[in-house]
Amino acid sequence: MDISIFGLGYVGCVSIGCLAANSHKIIGVDINKHKVDLINKGKPTIIEAGIDELIATGSKKGLISATNDARQAILDTDISFICSGTPSSPTGHLNLNSIYHIATNISRGIKEKDRFHIVVIRSTVMPGTNRKVAEIIQKESGKKRNEDFAVVSNPEFLREGSAVADYNNPAVTVLGSDSPKALKTMNDLYSFIDTTIIETSIEVAEIIKYINNSFHALKITFANEVGNICKSLKIDSHEVMRVFGTDNKLNISTAYFKPGFAYGGSCLPKDLQGLGTIAHDAYLKTPLLSSIHESNEYQKEIAFHLVTKYNKRSIGVLGLSFKKGTDDLRYSPAVDLVEKLIGKGYTVSIYDKNVNLSNITGTNKAYIDEHLPHLSSLITDDLKKVIHENEVLVITYREHEFENLIANYPEKIFVDLAKVTEDTTLINYEGICW
Ligand SMILES: NC(=O)c1ccc[n+]([C@@H]2O[C@H](COP(=O)([O-])OP(=O)(O)OC[C@H]3O[C@@H](n4cnc5c(N)ncnc54)[C@H](O)[C@@H]3O)[C@@H](O)[C@H]2O)c1
């Protein structure tokens, strides 16, 4: 394919080398004349393992050239990758000026073209950038999105230092587009890469890089705080994290990665607090670990706001235990929610088929006696009764019998803290994080 690459930095230069190595004809475009000259001399613009040879070989084969003439580059190619820099602005937002500048330049070429052109945003950008780039191109060129051109979001995941290897072996390749034609071409283009291609919405493709990198930063910080604590106890932190990493059911897995309500129960809050006290006793600060509780409490506040924002005074709570399939009420976020609602004068009734007060004993009983001493007058195992009695129903955990309630009771308002349904468009429905 004939491809133009806008921005000849780390991402652009590696893209040129790797795509040329797969026999594609590449034109690099940059406003920096020095970088354009380097590429035209068969030299890379960056230092990276394997890149010298890729650029030199591609140049010798006549597959690589560079220019600062964006218009001509568009006329001579069918796909353009935007790989320009997106630095932080003084307020922490991304500065997307280079992206919009390139979009304007691309429009000049697209205006004169009678072939379909695909613009691929490879840079890390804010959600909404894809649509804005398309708007610019539409306005400047007079051509129509998804008829004359398409814009695909395809975030780059390479790491400097292993960029060529990462380009050729990415963990996943994400494509966000609303053009089947463009997606087909992109799948063909990436057929040389051994990767899982994920086609998703434009917005998901745009935000995923932020989520990935924030999680990577979280992982490093988590390991460092664990390391500091372990050192203070003379425990081998690398062995701890090695053992931690071998659990790929609960630790290194998608477990617990479902946005929703706060955590609770008898273990997570207690053990998190326990580790915090070990750190405290060693005079260590653990800003990350210490913030987890605060974040969890904030999620309860969001749930309370959601349940009460409709100005309805009677609330039905579907699920009181800390998760489905148990009668454990200790540190259940639903107990906190009920306690706060009652404290603010709301009428509350509760359905939980697993909670039978006569069977609750020990610390579970002590906990509920302290937090909801009148629970027996609030709770029932009659789901229909709770639905009929209340105007707002809040679902606190995923349970099969809750799934169809939203559609079956259109006159009730459902607040879903657990994503019990995929149909989130019903007007009597609101999810906590979706
Ligand atoms: N460097 C990485 O490891 C990495 C990895 C993944 C994603 N990213 C993202 O990819 C993007 C590019 O990163 P990079 O490290 O390659 O940046 P870079 O700063 O190395 O290169 C950006 C290039 O864009 C050029 N440029 C700026 N405005 C231009 C314009 N109007 N027309 C043509 N060229 C223009 C610059 O001259 C420069 O050569 C950023 O959004 C970055 O966040 C970077």
Side-chain angles (χ1 to χ4, degrees):
M1 292 182 199
D2 293 325
I3 299 168
S4 42
I5 307 267
F6 287 74
L8 300 176
Y10 284 89
V11 170
C13 187
V14 170
S15 306
I16 290 181
C18 294
L19 288 166
N22 285 279
S23 305
H24 297 291
K25 195 166 181 201
I26 316 293
I27 303 175
V29 186
D30 206 294
I31 47 173
N32 182 321
K33 187 176 174 309
H34 176 62
K35 292 191 183 186
V36 170
D37 290 345
L38 278 174
I39 294 292
N40 281 328
K41 284 179 193 155
K43 293 189 173 149
T45 59
I46 54 163
I47 293 176
E48 195 60 54
I51 193 70
D52 295 50
E53 203 188 326
L54 286 177
I55 299 291
T57 309
S59 293
K60 269 187 212 131
K61 287 184 179 168
L63 292 172
I64 294 177
S65 64
T67 178
N68 55 13
D69 186 346
R71 180 190 144 275
Q72 192 61 46
I74 297 297
L75 291 173
D76 292 344
T77 59
D78 299 308
I79 306 178
S80 300
F81 283 81
I82 302 181
C83 304
S84 62
T86 50
S88 293
S89 73
T91 54
H93 294 86
L94 283 196
N95 179 341
L96 298 173
N97 289 346
S98 72
I99 305 281
Y100 300 137
H101 185 236
I102 290 171
T104 307
N105 287 341
I106 284 177
S107 313
R108 299 194 180 117
I110 289 182
K111 189 175 184 175
E112 294 176 34
K113 269 188 99 164
D114 51 12
R115 295 192 318 278
F116 190 67
H117 196 91
I118 300 173
V119 177
V120 183
I121 303 178
R122 202 70 167 135
S123 301
T124 303
V125 295
M126 297 290 210
T129 307
N130 181 309
R131 300 208 183 274
K132 192 157 175 200
V133 163
E135 276 166 27
I136 292 171
I137 297 173
Q138 242 175 211
K139 184 165 167 260
E140 300 287 329
S141 71
K143 297 288 178 83
K144 272 198 124 172
R145 179 178 190 146
N146 295 344
E147 279 181 27
D148 305 305
F149 73 94
V151 186
V152 178
S153 290
N154 171 215
E156 174 59 69
F157 298 138
L158 63 75
R159 297 161 297 174
E160 287 174 25
S162 56
V164 172
D166 286 349
Y167 190 96
N168 287 321
N169 297 288
V172 291
T173 293
V174 177
L175 299 175
S177 177
D178 51 5
S179 162
K181 188 174 173 180
L183 283 171
K184 161 93 180 60
T185 306
M186 293 303 292
N187 273 280
D188 291 346
L189 178 70
Y190 283 134
S191 57
F192 74 90
I193 292 176
D194 184 16
T195 184
T196 304
I197 293 183
I198 298 175
E199 291 181 9
T200 184
S201 72
I202 289 166
E203 291 76 13
V204 169
E206 287 180 314
I207 203 167
I208 196 69
K209 178 76 193 219
Y210 288 103
I211 310 308
N212 287 358
N213 277 351
S214 299
F215 186 57
H216 300 164
L218 174 76
K219 285 174 83 172
I220 291 168
T221 311
F222 179 79
N224 289 344
E225 290 194 4
V226 168
N228 294 341
I229 294 169
C230 286
K231 184 180 176 189
S232 78
L233 299 171
K234 297 191 169 44
I235 295 171
D236 180 349
S237 62
H238 280 247
E239 174 62 0
V240 168
M241 292 312 287
R242 188 187 70 77
V243 173
F244 172 84
T246 55
D247 176 348
N248 49 30
K249 255 191 180 168
L250 300 182
N251 293 351
I252 310 301
S253 73
T254 55
Y256 304 118
F257 273 153
K258 305 261 189 281
F261 200 17
Y263 64 77
S266 63
C267 294
L268 266 53
K270 171 177 74 70
D271 295 346
L272 179 69
Q273 199 178 18
L275 190 62
T277 58
I278 294 172
H280 183 260
D281 292 348
Y283 301 99
L284 284 169
K285 281 190 184 171
T286 50
L288 174 67
L289 290 169
S290 305
S291 67
I292 296 173
H293 172 71
E294 188 185 336
S295 177
N296 201 47
E297 291 302 303
Y298 180 60
Q299 198 66 357
K300 294 178 196 172
E301 275 178 40
I302 290 181
F304 178 80
H305 168 73
L306 222 57
V307 172
T308 54
K309 74 174 194 177
Y310 298 97
N311 291 322
K312 308 282 185 198
R313 301 307 298 177
S314 65
I315 314 288
V317 177
L318 308 186
L320 187 66
S321 56
F322 86 98
K323 63 177 179 182
K324 88 169 197 179
T326 174
D327 65 354
D328 197 346
L329 302 169
R330 290 172 295 174
Y331 299 97
S332 167
V335 171
D336 281 0
L337 180 64
V338 171
E339 203 177 354
K340 194 164 174 183
L341 286 167
I342 291 172
K344 298 272 181 193
Y346 288 85
T347 306
V348 177
S349 53
I350 303 163
Y351 166 79
D352 195 317
K353 67 178 176 188
N354 294 311
V355 176
N356 180 342
L357 286 184
S358 54
N359 291 340
I360 288 183
T361 56
T363 51
N364 198 12
K365 180 166 179 6
Y367 185 83
I368 206 63
D369 283 348
E370 185 186 337
H371 290 268
L372 295 175
H374 308 299
L375 181 58
S376 60
S377 62
L378 307 175
I379 198 163
T380 170
D381 58 2
D382 185 343
L383 177 58
K384 280 192 178 149
K385 182 169 180 282
V386 173
I387 292 170
H388 287 299
E389 274 174 5
N390 296 288
E391 296 167 288
V392 174
L393 283 312
V394 51
I395 299 169
T396 68
Y397 55 64
R398 235 163 199 254
E399 185 64 77
H400 184 60
E401 64 184 328
F402 300 154
E403 265 175 40
N404 298 322
L405 297 179
I406 301 120
N408 290 346
Y409 293 93
E411 72 284 8
K412 304 285 177 180
I413 297 165
F414 285 87
V415 172
D416 185 0
L417 309 181
K419 200 153 196 242
V420 292
T421 177
E422 288 305 312
D423 187 0
T424 56
T425 57
L426 294 164
I427 54 161
N428 61 330
Y429 175 88
E430 185 163 359
I432 184 168
C433 321
W434 50 90

